[in-house]
Amino acid sequence: MKLFDVYPLFPIEIVRGKGCHVYDAEGTEYLDLYGGHAVISVGHAHPAYVKAISEQVAQLGFYSNSVVNGLQRRLAEKLGKICGYDDYSLFLINSGAEANENAIKLASFHNGKKQVLAFRHSFHGRTAAAVKVTDIPKYVAPVNEGMEVNFVELNDIDAVRAELSKGTYSSVIIEGIQGIGGIQIPDDAFMRELREECDRNDVVLILDEIQSGYGRSGRFFAHQYAGIKADLITVAKGICNGFPMSGLIVSPKFTPVYGQLGTTFGGNHLGCAGAIAVLDIIEKENLIDNAAKVGAYLLDELKKIDGIKEVRGRGLMIGLEFEQPIKEIRTKLLFEQKVFTGVAGTNTIRLLPPLCLTMDDAKEFVARFKHCL
């Protein structure tokens, strides 16, 4: 049997990591400014994370959700205190798409409505409901076509108001910062007005913080810059530093009903131990403050470089847009300067490094990037 070929691959096998660096099978060191799609939050092979995972798997890696799991409760309490949503509830699952899937479903159960409003250039996943609220038509299979979704431009509150006033919408789903869409940031004023419109029309506000959450923006959640609260928040990626895990943070206004939501692997003992360790490390090492500080330095320095059309971002979620396709630049960065970066579309380089990126690492990246250009 061979692998089903769905990914274009660089001819590099990464076999080891430490902090913000990874190493290939030949021992070559790379500076990691991508964190495996924003997944590595506290750094590769962090000793405290490795210890927590190792000790837990030696004791109990998994048992079903039909019995009490004290680790789930510890994780929920700790997450609530750190992120400022301690009066909300947590439903643990496995992937970002699954979190969004359950959010859309729970919103519809709550108010009985069918339509969902989403935004142009959004990305929320590739499963049935998640892909329908993703503004990339080629990802939508014929079987997904039945769901009622409309898209409006980001930051266009008049368009939002016109749609929600119809009274047919169950929910609005929006990214804290659009990732695949090119690091597009919702205006704070727009977010506050969006919250008001959802309240006015009995519409559930879903904040997809899968990529922009867990401290990446310099706040725990990117939407907290606007001073608002969401009804449902989806988290994944950085929640467990590489172990597959996600969560749905649920407002007290939702009443759980047995059987509406469920999962086999979600909230397993091994994942919870890793996720608790991630929050401990974020707290002890002040990684959210570090993301804000080092991110501000990168944004400032990168804006000084000629040849970049626009630099956008918050914290350690940064987009570098060029007039021309960036495939050659990204390839040169990887193979000549030994730097991993991501992409958003054809013209934007995406930076999503671990939150432990040091100022020295940031300076080294800027130097290598200038050399590449």
Side-chain angles (χ1 to χ4, degrees):
M1 185 182 292
K2 64 179 181 179
L3 293 173
F4 194 50
D5 189 12
V6 296
Y7 301 110
L9 301 177
F10 288 115
I12 299 170
E13 182 181 7
I14 297 301
V15 298
R16 183 169 66 90
K18 184 177 181 181
C20 292
H21 295 83
V22 292
Y23 303 81
D24 67 17
E26 282 71 49
T28 305
E29 181 184 82
Y30 299 82
L31 182 57
D32 185 8
L33 265 288
Y34 197 48
H37 305 294
V39 167
I40 303 301
S41 49
V42 299
H44 296 280
H46 191 291
Y49 174 79
V50 172
K51 183 174 184 288
I53 289 282
S54 301
E55 289 179 352
Q56 184 59 47
V57 76
Q59 183 174 335
L60 179 67
F62 175 83
Y63 204 72
S64 83
N65 283 307
S66 61
V67 297
V68 173
N69 181 345
L71 290 170
Q72 290 182 354
R73 295 180 179 181
R74 281 179 54 198
L75 173 58
E77 289 170 3
K78 190 169 188 64
L79 176 57
K81 289 176 182 177
I82 292 177
C83 75
Y85 279 89
D86 55 349
D87 59 332
Y88 279 46
S89 301
L90 178 64
F91 174 54
L92 291 165
I93 27 194
N94 308 284
S95 69
E98 190 178 348
N100 285 330
E101 198 85 14
N102 280 279
I104 293 165
K105 184 178 179 180
L106 187 59
S108 186
F109 275 130
H110 176 70
N111 56 27
K113 300 177 186 177
K114 296 181 179 180
Q115 284 189 304
V116 181
L117 188 66
F119 293 88
R120 292 292 174 198
H121 312 297
S122 60
F123 180 86
H124 298 287
R126 290 181 173 87
T127 54
V131 78
K132 275 294 291 181
V133 294
T134 289
D135 188 28
I136 306 178
K138 69 178 181 179
Y139 290 173
V140 183
V143 73
N144 303 132
E145 290 292 347
M147 187 175 155
E148 299 178 39
V149 179
N150 288 313
F151 293 89
V152 294
E153 293 294 334
L154 187 66
N155 294 320
D156 187 345
I157 194 61
D158 291 333
V160 169
R161 189 175 291 118
E163 289 296 324
L164 297 191
S165 66
K166 297 175 182 177
T168 56
Y169 284 92
S170 165
S171 60
V172 174
I173 185 167
I174 184 171
E175 293 162 272
I177 298 173
Q178 287 189 341
I180 294 291
I183 315 297
Q184 305 293 341
I185 304 173
D187 294 338
D188 291 344
F190 169 78
M191 293 292 275
R192 288 189 285 270
E193 290 183 285
L194 175 62
R195 174 70 275 181
E196 292 173 3
E197 289 301 318
C198 287
D199 288 339
R200 186 175 293 117
N201 294 281
D202 186 29
V203 174
V204 174
L205 178 58
I206 303 170
L207 250 298
D208 178 341
E209 293 278 6
I210 288 163
Q211 195 172 123
S212 55
Y214 259 72
R216 178 155 300 283
S217 71
R219 302 279 179 91
F220 197 92
F221 294 126
H223 71 265
Q224 290 172 323
Y225 279 96
I228 65 166
K229 280 202 165 187
D231 299 311
L232 298 170
I233 306 164
T234 55
V235 294
K237 297 206 182 281
I239 188 174
C240 203
N241 206 51
F243 188 92
M245 194 176 200
S246 67
L248 175 59
I249 299 173
V250 182
S251 164
K253 73 182 185 182
F254 293 88
T255 302
V257 176
Y258 290 157
Q260 282 187 347
L261 307 181
T263 174
T264 296
F265 293 105
N268 64 74
H269 295 71
L270 189 54
C272 285
I276 291 168
V278 165
L279 291 174
D280 285 341
I281 295 164
I282 286 174
E283 271 194 310
K284 290 176 182 177
E285 299 185 6
N286 298 313
L287 293 187
I288 298 177
D289 289 342
N290 186 70
K293 179 182 176 182
V294 179
Y297 167 81
L298 280 172
L299 285 165
D300 185 56
E301 291 300 310
L302 291 167
K303 286 176 182 178
K304 298 174 184 177
I305 299 176
D306 292 334
I308 305 176
K309 178 182 177 182
E310 187 177 6
V311 178
R312 298 182 293 270
R314 272 178 168 163
L316 291 176
M317 187 170 182
I318 297 172
L320 312 175
E321 184 179 350
F322 289 78
E323 294 284 359
Q324 72 278 10
I326 48 81
K327 183 177 179 180
E328 183 181 355
I329 296 171
R330 186 186 178 213
T331 301
K332 286 180 67 178
L333 270 171
L334 179 59
F335 289 103
E336 295 181 14
Q337 299 301 316
K338 309 303 179 188
V339 179
F340 270 100
T341 59
V343 298
T346 57
N347 288 34
T348 302
I349 288 176
R350 195 162 35 136
L351 306 181
L352 301 161
L355 306 186
C356 60
L357 188 76
T358 66
M359 196 64 77
D360 286 342
D361 289 334
K363 291 176 180 177
E364 179 64 25
F365 167 70
V366 171
R368 295 188 196 184
F369 188 66
K370 286 180 178 178
H371 189 81
C372 179
L373 293 183

